[in-house]
Amino acid sequence: MAKLSLSVNGNKDDQENEMKPVSLSLTKKVTQPTEDNNNEITSTGLSQHVQSSNTSGNASLEADDIAKWLVNNIGNDVFDELKQNPNLQLPYTDKNINAVDWMGKIIKTYFSQDSINKINSAINNLSGNNNVDNNAVEVAVKQKLEKYNAKFQELKEQMENLEGEKAQIASELNTAIPLSKFVSEIFRDPGNETEPQKEIIRTLNETFETSKEQTLSKFVVRFAKGWIYLKTKTDLLGDDEKQNLESVYQALTKLLEYVSECYISERRILLDLIAKHCSTFFSQYDFISPEQTLNADPDIHNAGGLGNARIKEGVSFCVVRRDTKKTVKYADIVVSS
């Protein structure tokens, strides 16, 4: 409340009946409000909303909660900057007031109780929705984890199965004969090897080191069977060269049956070496592989009407006389369609 004080300036002299002029001064004393003061605030700079916002009830607490929510979710820096705005200065407020308390005062000053209630309800609803979303996220994460755990178990079982298969394969390999040793046992004949025979062994061993063809083992086994059958014939050759020719020719045809439909990159080279090997047992005849050329050749193949057809595989070897180069037996072949 404003109080008036009267001061009189004059000489206090009862003997003189003369009055000096009187001066009056009016001063206005304002009681500064405190945070918890519910009395009427006399201020010309504050909105009348202060009276309603400071009345007892939930609005003041809600305003403080709103202020905390805003600062916590947006950050102190924004409101510290806003606090410096001259258009938002609050009279009788400590300039060092923290952002939460300052924002609470702003809300209480500029918003009605009804508006504060609405803002508080909106924040509560938003928080509730966030809780629902968080629950949904937790459920989704749980489902994902269960899915990944199931997939992990499936992969783990597959790995265990593969480990079992790996152990089985390792066991089979341990009991298997290396191809190089297999070739040595089948094709080597120390002291009796022909030069083409040595070349066959060398070619096969080099192939084992470089080839990645899946049919290699299959071809080598079949080729070895044909070689064994051929060797039984060459080991029993007599003095009659024509009879020997028929015997070896038939064995070579059998060898081609063994390797039919079985192809590797070195097939043509190996068949050429087989022909040279067989030729060493004869003085009058030479053998020629049916796959020596890529295309049918009328001079060595039964290629009547085939023209320049491409050879798929040989069925029998060609035989020519060594002195005249005349073909004695033409090679039968299968051509590509």
Side-chain angles (χ1 to χ4, degrees):
M1 296 294 292
K3 297 181 180 179
L4 296 178
S5 63
L6 175 65
S7 64
V8 180
N9 298 326
N11 295 327
K12 186 177 179 182
D13 191 349
D14 294 334
Q15 295 177 357
E16 297 179 2
N17 293 322
E18 181 181 0
M19 296 292 296
K20 297 294 183 178
V22 178
S23 64
L24 299 176
S25 64
L26 179 64
T27 62
K28 180 163 117 179
K29 185 176 182 181
V30 179
T31 302
Q32 184 172 347
T34 63
E35 190 68 24
D36 297 328
N37 186 9
N38 292 328
N39 295 328
E40 179 181 0
I41 298 175
T42 303
S43 172
T44 58
L46 295 178
S47 167
Q48 294 300 319
H49 291 158
V50 173
Q51 296 179 14
S52 62
S53 66
N54 283 335
T55 58
S56 60
N58 293 328
S60 179
L61 295 176
E62 290 176 350
D64 292 337
D65 289 340
I66 293 169
K68 291 177 183 177
W69 188 90
L70 289 171
V71 174
N72 289 338
N73 286 276
I74 298 175
N76 280 296
D77 294 343
V78 173
F79 296 101
D80 284 339
E81 180 182 349
L82 195 62
K83 191 170 61 174
Q84 304 303 321
N85 191 322
N87 296 320
L88 293 174
Q89 295 299 311
L90 294 173
Y92 318 113
T93 301
D94 185 358
K95 66 178 181 179
N96 294 323
I97 188 173
N98 63 53
V100 173
D101 292 340
W102 179 83
M103 194 61 205
K105 282 178 172 264
I106 286 290
I107 294 171
K108 295 170 189 176
T109 301
Y110 289 101
F111 290 90
S112 66
Q113 180 173 348
D114 183 57
S115 296
I116 291 173
N117 291 336
K118 289 181 179 179
I119 295 172
N120 190 62
S121 296
I123 291 174
N124 288 335
N125 289 335
L126 180 61
S127 299
N129 290 335
N130 286 337
N131 290 334
V132 172
D133 291 339
N134 289 335
N135 291 335
V137 170
E138 290 178 3
V139 171
V141 170
K142 184 178 180 181
Q143 291 175 345
K144 284 289 185 182
L145 287 175
E146 290 176 352
K147 180 179 178 181
Y148 288 139
N149 285 335
K151 187 64 176 178
F152 174 78
Q153 291 299 326
E154 179 182 350
L155 292 175
K156 184 179 178 181
E157 291 176 2
Q158 291 179 1
M159 287 295 294
E160 291 174 351
N161 293 335
L162 290 175
E163 286 297 327
E165 293 178 7
K166 180 181 176 181
Q168 181 179 355
I169 292 172
S171 177
E172 292 176 356
L173 288 175
N174 289 334
T175 58
I177 301 175
L179 284 177
S180 59
K181 185 174 182 179
F182 174 78
V183 167
S184 178
E185 291 294 327
I186 298 298
F187 293 91
R188 293 298 305 270
D189 188 10
N192 296 310
E193 295 171 0
T194 65
E195 288 302 317
Q197 183 177 352
K198 295 177 182 178
E199 191 68 15
I200 289 171
I201 296 170
R202 187 187 65 79
T203 300
L204 287 173
N205 286 329
E206 288 181 354
T207 303
F208 299 151
E209 295 177 359
T210 59
S211 178
K212 302 296 182 182
E213 295 174 288
Q214 296 181 352
T215 57
L216 178 60
S217 297
K218 180 179 179 181
F219 178 87
V220 171
V221 171
R222 291 187 178 187
F223 185 67
K225 290 172 68 175
W227 173 268
I228 292 171
Y229 185 78
L230 174 64
K231 191 173 186 304
T232 60
K233 300 297 182 180
T234 57
D235 286 347
L236 299 176
L237 293 178
D239 296 330
D240 190 333
E241 196 159 81
K242 287 187 177 180
Q243 288 183 355
N244 293 342
L245 175 64
E246 293 298 328
S247 178
V248 171
Y249 181 82
Q250 184 269 336
L252 288 173
T253 302
K254 191 71 174 179
L255 184 148
L256 289 174
E257 290 179 8
Y258 281 125
V259 298
S260 178
E261 299 291 335
C262 190
Y263 308 104
I264 62 170
S265 301
E266 291 77 10
R267 175 184 169 110
R268 290 181 61 219
I269 296 174
L270 291 170
L271 291 180
D272 282 343
L273 291 172
I274 285 289
K276 292 177 181 179
H277 169 72
C278 292
S279 298
T280 62
F281 296 100
F282 294 87
S283 59
Q284 300 181 36
Y285 303 103
D286 284 326
F287 291 83
I288 300 175
S289 166
E291 298 178 21
Q292 184 185 60
T293 60
L294 295 176
N295 297 321
D297 183 351
D299 290 335
I300 62 174
H301 298 121
N302 283 327
L306 295 179
N308 200 31
R310 190 172 184 85
I311 298 172
K312 181 179 180 182
E313 65 177 33
V315 176
S316 63
F317 278 69
C318 172
V319 181
V320 298
R321 288 191 62 89
R322 187 170 297 173
D323 52 355
T324 63
K325 303 301 180 184
K326 181 180 178 181
T327 300
V328 177
K329 290 182 179 294
Y330 286 93
D332 292 323
I333 55 175
V334 176
V335 297
S336 301
S337 56

